Amino acid sequence: MTLYHFGNCLALVYVPFYFTYKYSGLSEYGAFWKCFQAGGIYIFTQLCKMLILATFFPAADVNNQEGIDFLGEFFKTTVDLADLGGLYMVLMGIPGKGHAKVLTAGVGWAGAEIVLTRFLLLWVGARGAEFDWMYIQKSIESNISLVQHITTATLVWLWSRHDLNRSLLPVVTAMLLLCAYKPLLLDVLGHVTHTGSWIALLLRAVFTLCLGVTTLQIYAGLAQTMGIY
């Protein structure tokens, strides 16, 4: 039962990444090592964010029992804007067509995040003697993060395009800010509504799906206009 549980968690994480890489055309572009390079920039970006957080936002000695400190969390979440800069660096370093750029950046970024934040948890926790739905939730959350990072990479790429319709630039910018502040918004919503872990996961999936579909529509319009696919 222990190995079966761990195998299910591993399959939930690995299979979507494999199919994304295999059937999206990335394998034809030889983007395997580019994904690793994107992961390296992810690690560098997270180290810079940790230094900024440790310097300017030290951990409080007294926990806030009444609720979350919205202003403090807002400033901490603002540091996540560095992720947009990291993705921009990745996109500028990848040659090729638009879809290859955004998929390589998104898959590499999401893969590095999962390895650094969830792999050890699944390896140690999911192989335990007792079954816990938390590890299934973390595996599903990894898939949502994959879609989210591909969406964010696409928005960064759209924002950097000079041939993007100027009327769409404010929309793309607003969606980039939503991507950056999404964790804070969902945490506040969950705190206000007192939702459980499964409902919170569903809200995150719906939020990510809405962002992804809107981004896909903007990208498809630009691709059709410019003849890039």
Side-chain angles (χ1 to χ4, degrees):
M1 182 65 183
T2 299
L3 293 177
Y4 179 76
H5 181 209
F6 175 70
N8 286 338
C9 293
L10 191 61
L12 283 173
V13 174
Y14 172 75
V15 171
F17 276 84
Y18 174 77
F19 278 102
T20 302
Y21 180 83
K22 184 68 175 178
Y23 297 105
S24 63
L26 288 183
S27 57
E28 299 176 1
Y29 285 92
F32 185 78
W33 292 112
K34 290 294 183 181
C35 290
F36 273 91
Q37 293 177 15
I41 296 180
Y42 169 84
I43 295 173
F44 175 76
T45 304
Q46 302 314 305
L47 289 174
C48 293
K49 287 168 57 178
M50 290 171 60
L51 288 174
I52 295 174
L53 289 172
T55 303
F56 299 102
F57 305 100
D61 295 332
V62 180
N63 293 328
N64 186 6
Q65 300 295 336
E66 298 179 357
I68 61 175
D69 179 12
F70 179 80
L71 186 60
E73 293 299 323
F74 174 80
F75 286 121
K76 291 180 181 179
T77 306
T78 302
V79 181
D80 289 340
L81 292 175
D83 290 335
L84 304 182
L87 281 171
Y88 180 80
M89 292 174 58
V90 174
L91 290 169
M92 293 303 101
I94 299 175
K97 297 183 179 180
H99 79 279
K101 284 175 172 282
V102 299
L103 285 174
T104 301
V107 170
W109 201 269
E113 182 197 45
I114 289 173
V115 169
L116 294 178
T117 61
R118 296 186 179 92
F119 179 77
L120 185 61
L121 174 68
L122 294 177
W123 180 261
V124 176
R127 296 171 68 244
E130 295 183 1
F131 174 82
D132 195 327
W133 282 104
M134 178 186 69
Y135 304 110
I136 299 295
Q137 292 176 353
K138 291 296 182 182
S139 301
I140 298 175
E141 189 177 338
S142 299
N143 299 323
I144 299 174
S145 295
L146 173 61
V147 177
Q148 177 62 63
H149 290 311
I150 293 176
T151 299
T152 305
T154 305
L155 289 170
V156 172
W157 182 81
L158 288 170
W159 182 84
S160 67
R161 296 285 299 185
H162 298 291
D163 49 6
L164 178 68
N165 191 331
R166 293 298 95 183
S167 62
L168 293 175
L169 185 59
V171 178
V172 172
T173 303
M175 292 176 65
L176 279 172
L177 293 175
L178 279 177
C179 290
Y181 289 99
K182 186 184 77 167
L184 176 61
L185 295 175
L186 293 179
D187 286 344
V188 171
L189 181 61
H191 178 75
V192 171
T193 57
H194 302 285
T195 56
S197 58
W198 284 105
I199 300 299
L201 187 65
L202 178 62
L203 288 174
R204 182 175 181 180
V206 171
F207 194 98
T208 302
L209 180 63
C210 292
L211 282 176
V213 170
T214 306
T215 302
L216 180 61
Q217 291 294 324
I218 299 174
Y219 175 84
L222 180 61
Q224 185 176 9
T225 302
M226 303 304 299
I228 51 175
Y229 299 98

